[in-house]
Amino acid sequence: MASKVTRLRALALYKELHRLGRDYEPSYDFHRKLRRLFEKNRNLTDDEEIEKALRFGEYIKNETLALYSLRKYRHLKRMYPSNSTSDT
């Protein structure tokens, strides 16, 4: 049986992923996939399996944040191109 701390960790992870999904591309349907993934793991009882699912969720969160950072970097690079032909 999952402890209260584990339950709170899962809820916090879900909320954070849900917030991150707001900026995700609408055609991917991030929220539906997120909900389906959490519902699939809702009946886990083994502590090791629960911890494994939480680690996978943390991995998804970190990868999503990396994608957002990459998107911002690419946008800034397009906005401020480097001048390879400067007069120095």
Side-chain angles (χ1 to χ4, degrees), residues 51-80:
E51 190 62 35
K52 182 179 173 184
L54 287 172
R55 281 195 309 269
F56 182 68
E58 290 289 334
Y59 171 77
I60 296 292
K61 180 184 83 170
N62 291 334
E63 290 296 312
T64 305
L65 287 171
L67 284 174
Y68 288 158
S69 296
L70 183 61
R71 183 173 60 176
K72 288 177 184 177
Y73 170 77
R74 286 179 177 165
H75 177 71
L76 287 174
K77 192 163 176 90
R78 280 193 306 267
M79 294 298 293
Y80 304 103

Side-chain angles (χ1 to χ4, degrees), residues 28 75 85:
Y28 185 70
H75 177 71
T85 58

Side-chain angles (χ1 to χ4, degrees), residues 13-53:
L13 179 62
Y14 182 82
K15 285 180 181 181
E16 194 166 359
L17 284 169
H18 196 273
R19 280 188 215 108
L20 286 173
R22 291 179 187 166
D23 297 329
Y24 216 79
E25 195 170 323
S27 64
Y28 185 70
D29 203 9
F30 188 87
H31 290 120
R32 184 177 56 86
K33 290 182 181 187
L34 173 67
R35 183 179 172 110
R36 197 179 291 160
L37 186 65
F38 269 80
E39 285 179 351
K40 183 180 95 176
N41 294 326
R42 134 192 232 173
N43 296 321
L44 292 178
T45 54
D46 185 27
D47 289 338
E48 290 179 19
E49 290 294 319
I50 294 170
E51 190 62 35
K52 182 179 173 184

